[in-house]
């Protein structure tokens, strides 16, 4: 009888397990210290040196600094979903260099008292930049930990003064047929449109991100600015934003048009609600994909339940998936 591969414990894995046991014995305080150490190491790490610096103060927003170890810059910037550049994971890093990110404006319109077309330079100065370390869970079953630089979307929302009719926000991202090969394909109904309820958009964790790892966003990650909603599947976080519309009715998003039974409006990370074609109970952390690496359990609201659970009190999350 041959032993199944899963039963063999190689020395490195065995020793890793012993280290983990030692860490567990050190107790929760020890784990917390390890988390802080990871953050400090990040703060002191040399910048990737690829793009201009964009730093931020450590965020004081509840839940904004996960204890988990950030994914390597090389992984964050080479394994991407950005269908405007093609559907493979490597297409964005290969092709997004062609996208022109200056000059750049974002039109904020609809149900607001002060609609305005913001220039990128104005947005960069609108509020103090903060460092946020968020988990990102993609609907496909992989995850990363990304140190973003940006500020709460609420900062922008307050300045345009939503009217009483504003119930939802619609986010529209760049669709440039000339520089984005994917936009010439019919894989989605372009432009990429996403949406949030106003209270979700106002939640301080909802981030307008301009950078990562202390530098401007690389194009493949959504330069020059993008949304990041850490308790929802990654596709809710539109890249390369050009328009934000305040509306009365729930927006129809690009993914809802593509697969209404698969991609709901809310799309909160939920290990108990499977995608029709696969389970959402576990995830693969990018950078941890050794042969013997166990998948991680996916957390309710991606681990942000304490901060955002109240937004959905009384809602049937299987119906409003
Ligand atoms: N935004 C646009 N405009 N186009 C896209 O294809 N993909 C989404 C989201 N934002 C996407 C997008 C998906 S599926 C994920 S998982 C995240 O971006 C990935 O962000 P990252 O590449 O920075 O990790």
């Amino acid at each position: 009888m041959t032993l199944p591969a899963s039963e063999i414990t190689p020395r490195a894995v065995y020793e890793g397990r012993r280290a983990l046991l030692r860490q567990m014995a050190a107790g929760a305080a020890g784990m917390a210290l390890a988390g802080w150490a990871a953050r400090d190491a990040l703060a002191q790490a040399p910048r990737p040196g690829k793009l201009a610096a964009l730093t931020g103060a450590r965020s004081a927003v509840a839940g904004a600094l996960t204890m988990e170890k950030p994914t390597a810059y090389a992984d964050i910037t080479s394994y991407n979903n950005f269908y405007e550049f093609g559907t493979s994971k490597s297409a964005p890093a290969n092709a997004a260099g062609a996208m022109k990110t200056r000059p750049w404006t974002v039109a904020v319109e609809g149900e607001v008292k002060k609609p305005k077309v913001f220039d990128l330079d104005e947005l960069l100065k609108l509020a103090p930049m903060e460092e946020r370390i968020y988990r990102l869970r993609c609907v496909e079953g992989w995850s990363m930990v990304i140190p973003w630089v940006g500020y709460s979307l609420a900062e922008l929302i307050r300045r345009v003064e939503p009217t009483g009719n504003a119930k939802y926000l619609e986010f529209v991202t760049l669709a440039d047929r000339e520089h984005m090969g994917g936009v010439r394909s019919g894989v989605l109904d372009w432009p990429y449109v996403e949406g949030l309820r106003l209270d979700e958009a106002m939640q301080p964790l909802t981030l307008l991100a301009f950078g990562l790892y202390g530098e401007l966003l690389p194009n493949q990650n959504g330069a020059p600015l993008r949304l990041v909603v850490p308790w929802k599947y990654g596709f809710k976080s539109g890249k390369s934003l050009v328009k934000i519309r305040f509306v009365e009715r729930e927006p129809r998003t690009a993914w809802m048009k593509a697969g209404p039974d698969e991609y709901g409006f809310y799309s909160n990370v939920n290990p108990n609600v499977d995608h029709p074609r696969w389970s959402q109970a576990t995830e693969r952390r990018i950078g941890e994909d050794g042969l013997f690496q166990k998948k991680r359990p996916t957390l309710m609201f991606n681990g942000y339940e304490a901060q955002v659970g109240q937004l959905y009190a009384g809602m049937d999350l299987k119906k409003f998936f």
Side-chain angles (χ1 to χ4, degrees):
M1 192 185 92
T2 48
L3 208 57
S6 59
E7 303 269 308
I8 306 165
T9 308
R11 189 181 176 87
V13 171
Y14 169 76
E15 284 177 349
R17 227 176 256 161
R18 281 182 39 174
L20 185 70
L21 285 172
R22 270 200 305 278
Q23 224 179 41
M24 283 166 72
M31 293 290 266
L33 276 175
W36 283 110
R39 277 184 224 170
D40 285 331
L42 176 70
Q44 285 156 19
R47 291 200 298 108
K50 307 267 186 197
L51 293 159
L54 182 73
T55 53
R58 248 171 221 196
S59 181
V61 167
L65 294 166
T66 170
M67 294 286 187
E68 289 174 48
K69 186 168 170 278
T71 303
Y73 183 85
D75 287 333
I76 293 173
T77 57
S78 64
Y79 189 90
N80 302 100
N81 277 336
F82 201 163
Y83 277 21
E84 285 84 341
F85 294 103
T87 54
S88 81
K89 295 287 176 278
S90 55
N94 291 332
M99 177 168 63
K100 295 212 173 1
T101 59
R102 274 188 192 260
W104 191 278
T105 58
V106 180
V108 185
E109 57 183 49
E111 291 292 344
V112 291
K113 291 185 195 126
K114 297 183 172 168
K116 184 175 163 138
V117 178
F118 289 87
D119 188 76
L120 177 63
D121 289 316
E122 211 176 337
L123 290 171
L124 282 163
K125 287 182 291 203
L126 190 92
M129 291 288 170
E130 295 182 4
E131 182 182 70
R132 310 266 183 109
I133 309 178
Y134 286 172
R135 279 183 287 277
L136 180 140
R137 171 61 156 82
C138 181
V139 71
E140 297 164 339
W142 51 267
S143 64
M144 295 190 188
V145 175
I146 305 185
W148 300 108
V149 182
Y151 51 77
S152 296
L153 177 66
E155 297 277 359
L156 176 62
I157 295 177
R158 273 194 279 273
R159 283 163 175 85
V160 295
E161 300 181 22
T163 71
N165 294 331
K167 303 281 189 299
Y168 295 90
L169 277 73
E170 181 181 272
F171 301 92
V172 183
T173 78
L174 184 71
D176 172 356
R177 290 177 69 87
E178 191 188 337
H179 299 107
M180 297 171 136
V183 175
R184 297 192 288 269
S185 82
V187 59
L188 283 175
D189 186 5
W190 310 106
Y192 195 97
V193 170
E194 258 308 331
L196 292 176
R197 225 167 52 191
L198 180 60
D199 58 347
E200 298 178 316
M202 286 296 291
Q203 212 294 335
L205 286 170
T206 301
L207 184 72
L208 258 191
F210 300 83
L212 64 83
Y213 264 100
E215 297 186 354
L216 292 178
L217 284 175
N219 285 4
Q220 60 268 35
N221 293 88
L225 81 162
R226 69 175 294 173
L227 198 67
V228 185
V229 193
W231 69 95
K232 293 179 180 279
Y233 291 114
F235 68 85
K236 297 295 292 181
S237 298
K239 296 176 167 182
S240 307
L241 285 176
V242 293
K243 191 184 285 185
I244 303 177
R245 286 183 60 224
F246 288 70
V247 294
E248 207 169 343
R249 300 249 171 85
E250 186 182 282
R252 262 192 96 209
T253 71
W255 280 108
M256 287 165 81
K257 286 189 204 168
D261 303 330
E262 306 195 353
Y263 308 102
F265 178 77
Y266 285 92
S267 288
N268 291 314
V269 174
N270 188 337
N272 309 315
V273 177
D274 289 336
H275 185 281
R277 290 183 280 134
W278 59 83
S279 162
Q280 293 292 27
T282 61
E283 65 199 54
R284 180 171 66 91
R285 178 64 51 86
I286 300 300
E288 287 185 351
D289 19 28
L291 189 54
F292 299 96
Q293 190 64 48
K294 279 222 171 71
K295 287 198 167 189
R296 290 173 174 253
T298 285
L299 305 173
M300 189 66 202
F301 295 113
N302 203 23
Y304 300 94
E305 184 166 19
Q307 289 81 32
V308 306
Q310 264 309 107
L311 294 173
Y312 311 100
M315 282 175 70
D316 178 351
L317 298 179
K318 288 204 159 69
K319 187 168 167 218
F320 297 99
F321 64 94

